[in-house]
Amino acid sequence: MMTSSYYFKYERVEDAQQKLLSLAGESMRRVEMLDVRDAIEYVLAEDIHSERDIPQNDIAHFDGYAIRSEDTKLASLKNPLRFKIVKEIKLTEQGSDYEISSGEVIYVPTGCELPQNADAIVPVESVKREGDYIILTRPIAKGFHVIHKGSDIRKNELVLRKGTVILGQHIKVLLDSGIFEVPVYKKPRVVVMPIGSELTNDSNEHHKKLETHSYLISYLIEKNGGIAMQKAPIPDDPILISKEVEEALENYDIIVTIGGASVGKMDFTWNEAKRIRKPRLEIRGIKVHPGRVTSVVLFERPIIMLPGLIQSTLSGTIFILLPLIRFLAGLSPSPLYPKFVGRVKSVIKIPEYKPFKRVRFVKRIESISNEKGKFIDLLRYESFHSSVLLKADGIIIIPENIDEISPNETLTIYGVYGLF
Amino acid sequence: MMTSSYYFKYERVEDAQQKLLSLAGESMRRVEMLDVRDAIEYVLAEDIHSERDIPQNDIAHFDGYAIRSEDTKLASLKNPLRFKIVKEIKLTEQGSDYEISSGEVIYVPTGCELPQNADAIVPVESVKREGDYIILTRPIAKGFHVIHKGSDIRKNELVLRKGTVILGQHIKVLLDSGIFEVPVYKKPRVVVMPIGSELTNDSNEHHKKLETHSYLISYLIEKNGGIAMQKAPIPDDPILISKEVEEALENYDIIVTIGGASVGKMDFTWNEAKRIRKPRLEIRGIKVHPGRVTSVVLFERPIIMLPGLIQSTLSGTIFILLPLIRFLAGLSPSPLYPKFVGRVKSVIKIPEYKPFKRVRFVKRIESISNEKGKFIDLLRYESFHSSVLLKADGIIIIPENIDEISPNETLTIYGVYGLF
């Protein structure tokens, strides 16, 4: 009954990622139009150009009198000129509904559009007023204290580039630019299905183990551009597993199982997933340790099977699940970012799985004994330990096919978006 | 009618912050109990100790046979010992419901609690089976392939410190530790009220200006520990302003107004806020430019008045509003973090407001002409420009009472949480 396809065929992580992104990523990525106000933390799928000039008109930079500069050329202390205040405009009024003729001014508040024919502002505090007149004793330059139309953003100017993650300031500027809908990458809907008869999501079921991995994985999904939906644990029953997986394939973009993906006698997920129909892509194990059990079966939509021990679950999440989610959401695929570079404190031996990439959770320490500098401290743990997640500052990735890393060798500690 | 209290009394930013945190912060900060599953991104208000050992019992590290190690002492190739398999436990069963006697073993799957009297595991693949017996040809050490109770986390061990921002891994470990409710700092409810007769929140009202500042400010509030509520713009009408502010004082923890806080003839907010009753604290302007108009009136709850020009609005948000929100939410008060250090490209002159701190939005550039290194480029703009927010990498803060900053002087560029 156990066919050879049941066993692992460990693929290089880069190969697995590349296959999944090109087969699932490219065909599944979607763009949708969203109301700008709902687009927060989505990623722009196109360059955006302003629909209007900002400001939309020439406006006053100060409370003052809108004037025709050419009328003021001859003004001086010896030749004071009088201008009649023909109107006081309120901020709620449109400046362009009014106009001035030669010898006239109109009072405008800061931010008000200039009346017709006006091309400069005389600030209130810099001019003498007599009744309905102002007395000007110097010429006013064209454009004086005027904020010119389009001086902040010009119509048709590129305001935001494709790939921008939309934050608060972008919402503001988009709306200011007259843009009320934007094309964004659709966030994939990801269902998280823990598998294991020993698991429960009810903390009152004391004879079972409370399932908690899905809280962490769902949070990471959300922080990396996905919309996560947590499901109750499914028992180790091939009929139930295949029923739930087939249903999920109808309703979600990505199906994630946790546990039950290895080759033990209670591991049904791989076989049940493959039984559904002929997959477009199979990945049976990846060359990363921990996390080697991570597998993928892709039809139109992928089933991503994560191992059940928490550090393995995370490794599969970091190297396989999150890159796909991030790609679909329009982000750079890797959820890793370099956090700092440090020296290894003590030798790291690689006793097994040498052709595999190795992930270790590590802590940054500022100095050791008499030596100053930044060091990397390997946290001691087993791969089912979760306390390490509370202590780690990040991960190191040890390349394939090396026997050990010597003390003082320099490595990068990577952070993972949403984790540390 | 305009009393002297109407005018600015510019306070040092540090003084204003300190007064607001000690008078409003200390008296308003609240702790609430939340279901762990709802506590994501809240801040722990107390140290948390585990309610249980993790694992809760000695468990098997491999699929194998649970055995009494003392029974195996004499096993060798010359003296193979037979043990009877008296039971196969499933993962859904409790190991401690069963026990072994001398000469017996029980099959247990990985993760299963050890049966009574057992203290070691013989992995399936390392022993010969004959019918209902296993044949042991070597002694098994006590604790062999057993994961000991409490080896991940011990009961009463400190798992999370007060001040921890709760992320996915913390939810997981809290639940694993048997903790279903946690004390967290209550997030303050912050209402954002734009003020100005020229403003609308309806993009179809073309004769008015679409109000957009509140989207940015609300996003920053949420990213810094608050719960934001946006209100429609209030016209420059003292009766409406005082009505809305008084209502808001009943329903929200912090009242934020945007605009209408200066000393112009249409600026009513300061006077209307002060008219409500005698404040516990008044801050009429702060020594930062832009943002100097930022004012506070504190009763039981504060009214924080932000200026209306976007860069001034942001400056007041960064120096006054966010520190209070962050303090109430249990975070370190400053929303600033050092992003990088660079050299100033060209001279920065301080022409006015010399006793004020000065904020400038800047861009980081990697090199100029022939010089390599990191440089700080001042973005050229007016304080009403919002395009600068799309281009800036952060802000520099120029201290009080200096005339200029020379080229090549070294400064820190600060990021603002939620902004850049």
Side-chain angles (χ1 to χ4, degrees):
Chain A
M1 197 195 111
M2 284 191 191
T3 65
S4 68
S5 81
Y6 190 74
Y7 293 104
F8 294 110
K9 290 181 179 168
Y10 304 118
E11 295 201 32
R12 286 180 62 236
V13 174
E14 293 80 358
D15 294 344
Q17 283 175 346
Q18 189 271 323
K19 285 180 191 172
L20 190 59
L21 290 192
S22 65
L23 279 172
E26 299 288 355
S27 69
M28 289 174 66
R29 194 152 77 169
R30 294 280 177 279
V31 172
E32 62 181 337
M33 291 302 290
L34 278 190
D35 187 302
V36 166
R37 287 156 281 219
D38 298 328
I40 200 88
E41 292 178 2
Y42 278 78
V43 178
L44 275 179
E46 289 174 23
D47 288 350
I48 303 290
H49 298 80
S50 180
E51 295 277 335
R52 49 171 82 132
D53 288 304
I54 303 178
Q56 288 188 259
N57 303 289
D58 288 354
I59 60 175
H61 199 178
F62 282 103
D63 293 351
Y65 302 96
I67 201 165
R68 285 160 45 134
S69 58
E70 58 176 288
D71 287 0
T72 68
K73 278 183 185 158
L74 301 176
S76 69
L77 281 170
K78 285 185 181 166
N79 182 35
L81 297 181
R82 287 161 64 88
F83 291 83
K84 183 165 192 202
I85 306 164
V86 293
K87 162 80 186 165
E88 296 211 0
I89 296 183
K90 297 203 182 77
L91 251 186
T92 47
E93 294 179 294
Q94 305 278 346
S96 58
D97 287 349
Y98 303 94
E99 63 172 39
I100 51 171
S101 305
S102 187
E104 295 179 348
V105 294
I106 286 181
Y107 172 84
V108 290
T110 305
C112 181
E113 182 187 352
L114 262 57
Q116 291 179 49
N117 302 328
D119 62 6
I121 297 293
V122 187
V124 172
E125 57 267 39
S126 70
V127 70
K128 197 172 153 197
R129 180 167 175 166
E130 282 180 1
D132 286 342
Y133 290 85
I134 59 166
I135 315 296
L136 210 63
T137 52
R138 60 184 177 102
I140 301 293
K142 186 174 174 175
F144 192 62
H145 289 315
V146 173
I147 302 169
H148 289 287
K149 176 178 172 171
S151 61
D152 189 2
I153 293 176
R154 286 185 317 284
K155 186 169 175 178
N156 298 325
E157 182 180 335
L158 176 67
V159 279
L160 291 175
R161 281 184 194 284
K162 176 178 170 170
T164 302
V165 180
I166 300 173
L167 305 180
Q169 63 267 37
H170 306 124
I171 304 280
K172 174 183 167 46
V173 175
L174 286 166
L175 293 174
D176 287 345
S177 305
I179 293 157
F180 303 107
E181 284 205 319
V182 279
V184 294
Y185 293 103
K186 210 167 166 173
K187 293 188 172 199
R189 301 182 69 238
V190 186
V191 64
V192 179
M193 313 201 305
I195 293 178
S197 299
E198 76 282 15
L199 300 174
T200 178
N201 62 352
D202 177 356
S203 56
N204 294 315
E205 277 198 271
H206 295 293
H207 63 289
K208 288 195 171 183
K209 194 177 164 209
L210 190 65
E211 190 284 309
T212 60
H213 287 21
S214 64
Y215 291 93
L216 171 52
I217 303 307
S218 297
Y219 183 71
L220 293 177
I221 289 168
E222 298 264 349
K223 284 285 155 181
N224 285 276
I227 297 169
M229 170 66 67
Q230 281 173 264
K231 286 277 191 181
I234 306 167
D236 295 309
D237 174 333
I239 293 170
L240 283 177
I241 291 171
S242 82
K243 178 175 162 289
E244 296 266 356
V245 168
E246 287 196 61
E247 269 181 34
L249 281 168
E250 300 296 316
N251 298 314
Y252 300 94
D253 298 313
I254 299 175
I255 290 81
V256 177
T257 62
I258 304 177
S262 190
V263 295
K265 58 183 177 177
M266 298 306 278
D267 290 308
F268 299 110
T269 321
W270 173 258
N271 273 351
E272 289 311 311
K274 280 203 48 178
R275 209 191 294 279
I276 294 171
R277 56 185 174 274
K278 187 165 168 51
R280 294 168 59 208
L281 170 69
E282 294 179 23
I283 297 167
R284 186 54 173 148
I286 53 173
K287 283 188 179 157
V288 64
H289 184 76
R292 64 187 170 80
V293 168
T294 306
S295 299
V296 178
V297 167
L298 171 68
F299 308 112
E300 291 310 304
R301 293 163 171 180
I303 303 163
I304 295 179
M305 299 167 224
L306 301 174
L309 298 179
I310 187 60
Q311 291 169 32
S312 309
T313 320
L314 271 176
S315 186
T317 301
I318 292 167
F319 287 102
I320 299 297
L321 174 59
L322 296 184
L324 177 60
I325 292 173
R326 293 177 60 88
F327 179 84
L328 294 175
L331 298 162
S332 64
S334 177
L336 299 172
Y337 62 94
K339 226 171 151 182
F340 83 102
V341 169
R343 283 187 283 159
V344 170
K345 204 174 103 182
S346 24
V347 62
I348 305 174
K349 302 235 180 228
I350 314 297
E352 47 168 11
Y353 290 108
K354 284 193 210 284
F356 285 48
K357 229 183 258 301
R358 194 160 306 260
V359 169
R360 292 297 302 262
F361 291 80
V362 296
K363 209 175 158 44
R364 158 191 186 158
I365 43 178
E366 278 299 328
S367 60
I368 49 170
S369 59
N370 292 331
E371 278 197 83
K372 293 238 180 260
K374 288 172 182 166
F375 287 85
I376 295 171
D377 192 17
L378 245 60
L379 293 161
R380 287 189 61 80
Y381 53 80
E382 302 282 354
S383 66
F384 55 86
H385 279 172
S386 42
S387 54
V388 69
L389 299 177
L390 309 183
K391 295 169 191 153
D393 291 317
I395 60 174
I396 52 171
I397 301 171
I398 301 170
E400 299 82 347
N401 299 315
I402 57 174
D403 295 320
E404 62 173 50
I405 292 190
S406 317
N408 284 320
E409 218 171 295
T410 294
L411 286 181
T412 300
I413 291 191
Y414 292 95
V416 177
Y417 292 115
L419 187 62
F420 35 53
Chain B
M1 197 195 111
M2 284 193 190
T3 65
S4 67
S5 81
Y6 190 74
Y7 293 103
F8 294 110
K9 289 180 180 167
Y10 303 118
E11 296 202 31
R12 285 181 63 236
V13 174
E14 294 79 358
D15 294 344
Q17 283 175 346
Q18 189 272 321
K19 285 180 190 171
L20 190 60
L21 289 191
S22 66
L23 278 172
E26 299 288 355
S27 68
M28 288 175 65
R29 192 152 78 169
R30 295 281 177 277
V31 172
E32 63 182 337
M33 292 301 291
L34 277 191
D35 187 302
V36 165
R37 286 156 282 218
D38 299 327
I40 200 87
E41 294 178 2
Y42 278 78
V43 177
L44 276 178
E46 288 174 23
D47 287 351
I48 303 290
H49 298 81
S50 181
E51 295 278 335
R52 48 171 82 131
D53 287 303
I54 304 178
Q56 288 188 261
N57 304 289
D58 288 354
I59 60 176
H61 199 178
F62 283 101
D63 293 351
Y65 303 96
I67 201 165
R68 287 161 43 134
S69 57
E70 58 175 287
D71 287 1
T72 69
K73 278 183 186 159
L74 301 176
S76 69
L77 280 170
K78 287 184 180 168
N79 181 34
L81 298 181
R82 287 162 62 90
F83 292 83
K84 186 168 189 195
I85 305 163
V86 294
K87 162 79 186 165
E88 295 209 1
I89 296 182
K90 297 199 182 78
L91 251 187
T92 46
E93 294 179 295
Q94 303 279 345
S96 60
D97 288 349
Y98 304 94
E99 62 171 39
I100 52 171
S101 305
S102 188
E104 295 179 348
V105 294
I106 286 181
Y107 171 84
V108 290
T110 306
C112 181
E113 180 187 354
L114 262 57
Q116 291 180 49
N117 301 329
D119 62 7
I121 298 292
V122 188
V124 172
E125 58 267 39
S126 70
V127 71
K128 196 174 152 197
R129 181 167 174 168
E130 284 181 0
D132 287 341
Y133 291 86
I134 60 167
I135 316 296
L136 211 62
T137 54
R138 61 184 176 102
I140 300 293
K142 186 174 173 175
F144 191 62
H145 290 314
V146 172
I147 300 169
H148 289 288
K149 175 179 174 171
S151 61
D152 188 3
I153 292 175
R154 287 184 317 283
K155 186 171 177 176
N156 298 325
E157 182 180 333
L158 175 66
V159 279
L160 291 177
R161 283 186 194 283
K162 175 178 170 169
T164 302
V165 179
I166 301 174
L167 305 180
Q169 62 267 38
H170 306 124
I171 303 280
K172 174 182 168 45
V173 175
L174 286 166
L175 293 173
D176 287 344
S177 305
I179 292 157
F180 303 106
E181 284 204 321
V182 279
V184 295
Y185 294 103
K186 211 167 165 170
K187 294 188 173 199
R189 301 181 70 239
V190 186
V191 65
V192 179
M193 311 201 305
I195 293 179
S197 299
E198 76 282 17
L199 300 174
T200 178
N201 62 354
D202 177 356
S203 54
N204 295 315
E205 278 198 271
H206 294 295
H207 62 289
K208 289 195 172 183
K209 195 178 162 208
L210 190 65
E211 190 285 308
T212 62
H213 286 21
S214 64
Y215 291 93
L216 171 53
I217 303 307
S218 296
Y219 183 72
L220 293 177
I221 289 168
E222 298 265 349
K223 284 286 155 180
N224 284 276
I227 297 169
M229 172 66 69
Q230 282 172 263
K231 287 277 192 183
I234 306 168
D236 295 308
D237 172 334
I239 294 169
L240 284 176
I241 292 170
S242 82
K243 178 174 164 289
E244 296 266 356
V245 167
E246 286 196 60
E247 267 181 37
L249 280 167
E250 299 298 314
N251 297 313
Y252 300 94
D253 299 312
I254 299 175
I255 290 82
V256 176
T257 62
I258 304 177
S262 190
V263 293
K265 60 183 177 177
M266 297 306 278
D267 290 308
F268 300 110
T269 322
W270 172 259
N271 273 353
E272 289 310 312
K274 281 200 52 180
R275 208 190 296 278
I276 293 171
R277 54 184 175 275
K278 188 167 166 47
R280 293 168 59 210
L281 171 68
E282 294 177 23
I283 297 166
R284 185 55 173 147
I286 54 173
K287 284 189 179 153
V288 65
H289 184 76
R292 63 187 171 80
V293 167
T294 306
S295 299
V296 178
V297 166
L298 172 69
F299 308 111
E300 291 312 303
R301 293 162 171 181
I303 303 163
I304 296 179
M305 299 167 225
L306 301 174
L309 298 180
I310 186 60
Q311 291 170 32
S312 309
T313 320
L314 271 175
S315 187
T317 301
I318 292 167
F319 287 102
I320 299 296
L321 174 59
L322 296 183
L324 176 61
I325 292 173
R326 292 177 61 89
F327 179 84
L328 293 175
L331 298 163
S332 64
S334 176
L336 299 172
Y337 63 94
K339 225 171 152 183
F340 84 102
V341 170
R343 283 186 283 156
V344 170
K345 207 175 101 181
S346 23
V347 63
I348 305 174
K349 302 234 180 229
I350 314 296
E352 48 169 10
Y353 290 110
K354 285 191 209 285
F356 284 49
K357 232 184 256 302
R358 193 161 308 260
V359 169
R360 293 294 304 258
F361 291 81
V362 296
K363 205 170 163 47
R364 157 189 185 161
I365 43 178
E366 277 301 328
S367 60
I368 48 168
S369 61
N370 293 329
E371 278 197 83
K372 292 237 179 262
K374 287 171 183 168
F375 286 85
I376 294 171
D377 191 18
L378 244 61
L379 293 161
R380 288 188 62 80
Y381 52 79
E382 302 282 352
S383 66
F384 57 86
H385 279 173
S386 41
S387 54
V388 69
L389 300 176
L390 308 183
K391 294 168 191 153
D393 292 318
I395 60 174
I396 53 170
I397 301 170
I398 301 170
E400 299 81 348
N401 298 316
I402 56 175
D403 295 320
E404 62 173 50
I405 293 190
S406 316
N408 285 319
E409 217 171 295
T410 293
L411 286 180
T412 300
I413 290 191
Y414 292 95
V416 177
Y417 291 115
L419 187 63
F420 34 54

